[in-house]
């Protein structure tokens, strides 16, 4: 039966090549436009940004196998500040980095992420995007290959600020923003998660658990974007118990719908 499948997911599965696009934010110094593309196997988020002025910073060059290893002096956290942190430069940088890493290293270096508000509904988990990381030592900005957990922990503030303020404030924001947690699933497993074939894994730990050689430049976040009726009704969400396990049995989706 497919009756328990959310209408948004039925629409997505019936039209897997539908292009989703949405405006993330109009900024005082930049404009960002996020386009989502679904294919049969790969979900790609790409953020196109037009800066009002180019800021000075790290430049190209100096790379290659013969280049000296960079000192691990880079920030370990993708910092945000208040409301603007949910839709401005940190999000743009995180999304662009995600796109680059996903293209370079594929789904093996990527995880789906879900957010939950126990204060709103302890069994309701909202799909809020994906994280990716660099998995080749010779390409690292830092000194150690990130783990999936580090990819979330280092960006958790940004992920949750975006999720509760921009994506789904009705269920994750306001009085429901206390105690938000983040959960992992294998990359591109939305269908299997909906069909109750996969459990979710809670991300535990804090910033102090990031490895000494970790650099936030080696991870990225591809935010989920709502369009159409999703903006008012919400997008993909699933029901799980306190351990992230399905509360109902596996079911199949009738893809002819």
């Amino acid at each position: 039966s497919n009756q328990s499948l959310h209408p948004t997911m039925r629409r997505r599965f019936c039209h897997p090549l539908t292009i989703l696009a949405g405006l993330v934010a109009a900024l005082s110094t930049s404009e960002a436009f996020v386009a989502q593309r679904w294919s049969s196997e790969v979900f790609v988020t790409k953020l196109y940004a037009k800066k009002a002025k180019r800021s000075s910073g790290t430049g190209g060059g100096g790379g290659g196998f013969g280049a000296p290893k960079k000192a691990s002096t880079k920030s370990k956290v993708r910092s945000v500040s208040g409301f603007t942190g949910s839709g401005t430069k940190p999000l743009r940088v995180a999304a662009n980095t995600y796109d680059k890493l996903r293209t370079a290293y594929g789904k093996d270096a990527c995880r789906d992420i879900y957010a939950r508000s126990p204060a709103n509904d302890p069994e309701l988990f909202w799909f809020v995007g994906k994280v990716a990381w660099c998995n080749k030592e010779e390409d690292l900005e830092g000194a150690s290959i990130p783990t999936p957990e580090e990819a979330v922990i280092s960006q958790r503030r940004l992920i949750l600020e975006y999720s509760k303020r921009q994506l789904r404030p009705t269920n994750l924001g306001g009085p429901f923003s206390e105690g938000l947690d983040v959960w992992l699933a294998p990359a591109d497993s939305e269908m299997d998660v909906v069909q109750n074939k996969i459990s979710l894994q809670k991300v535990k730990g804090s910033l102090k658990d990031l490895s000494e050689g970790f650099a936030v430049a080696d991870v990225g976040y591809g935010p989920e974007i709502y369009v159409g009726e999703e903006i008012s009704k919400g997008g993909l969400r699933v029901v799980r118990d306190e351990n992230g396990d399905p509360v109902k049995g596996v079911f199949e989706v009738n893809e002819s719908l």
Side-chain angles (χ1 to χ4, degrees):
S1 169
N2 66 342
Q3 296 304 312
S4 58
L5 185 61
H6 188 267
T8 299
M9 293 307 299
R10 289 203 296 268
R11 171 169 53 79
R12 281 183 174 175
F13 297 144
C14 296
H15 306 283
L17 298 180
T18 301
I19 297 178
L20 307 180
L23 181 64
V24 174
L27 314 176
S28 59
T29 59
S30 64
E31 296 176 355
F33 183 80
V34 177
Q36 287 191 350
R37 182 177 71 251
W38 284 80
S39 67
S40 58
E41 296 181 352
V42 178
F43 167 96
V44 179
T45 301
K46 191 168 186 179
L47 190 71
Y48 300 93
K50 181 178 68 177
K51 294 186 179 180
K53 62 179 180 179
R54 183 177 297 277
S55 60
S56 60
T58 58
F65 292 105
K69 192 66 179 179
K70 301 179 181 69
S72 182
T73 58
K74 295 182 180 296
S75 171
K76 291 187 176 184
V77 182
R78 207 173 294 285
S79 61
V80 297
S81 59
F83 178 77
T84 58
S86 66
T88 56
K89 183 178 179 179
L91 182 63
R92 184 177 69 244
V93 172
N96 284 337
T97 304
Y98 167 84
D99 183 68
K100 179 184 69 175
L101 294 171
R102 177 61 191 256
T103 300
Y105 309 112
K107 65 185 296 183
D108 289 341
C110 179
R111 292 291 186 275
D112 293 354
I113 50 176
Y114 293 77
R116 177 187 69 149
S117 168
N120 175 248
D121 188 333
E123 293 190 335
L124 195 59
F125 295 70
W126 294 85
F127 176 74
V128 295
K130 297 168 184 274
V131 291
W133 61 92
C134 175
N135 67 355
K136 288 188 177 181
E137 290 186 357
E138 60 266 29
D139 298 336
L140 288 170
E141 294 289 334
S144 64
I145 294 177
T147 66
E149 290 76 15
E150 287 179 323
V152 171
I153 291 172
S154 61
Q155 303 179 102
R156 178 157 47 197
R157 172 78 186 280
L158 174 64
I159 293 169
L160 293 180
E161 283 289 313
Y162 172 75
S163 299
K164 71 183 183 181
R165 297 185 185 277
Q166 300 284 343
L167 188 65
R168 194 59 186 168
T170 302
N171 298 89
L172 301 175
F176 305 126
S177 63
E178 295 297 322
L180 296 176
D181 46 30
V182 183
W183 299 67
L184 291 170
D188 306 336
S189 64
E190 293 93 329
M191 173 72 85
D192 287 340
V193 171
V194 167
Q195 293 178 266
N196 297 327
K197 295 179 179 180
I198 292 178
S199 296
L200 304 181
Q201 174 190 349
K202 187 175 183 179
V203 176
K204 301 178 181 180
S206 62
L207 297 178
K208 65 180 178 61
D209 297 311
L210 296 175
S211 63
E212 184 176 351
F214 174 83
V216 74
D218 290 322
V219 300
Y221 166 52
E224 167 72 325
I225 307 297
Y226 287 165
V227 297
E229 66 177 12
E230 291 177 326
I231 296 174
S232 59
K233 297 182 179 180
L236 170 59
R237 66 271 202 180
V238 295
V239 175
R240 293 291 188 272
D241 64 17
E242 185 63 27
N243 298 316
D245 298 322
V247 298
K248 295 183 179 181
V250 174
F251 68 94
E252 298 300 324
V253 174
N254 183 355
E255 300 199 24
S256 65
L257 289 178

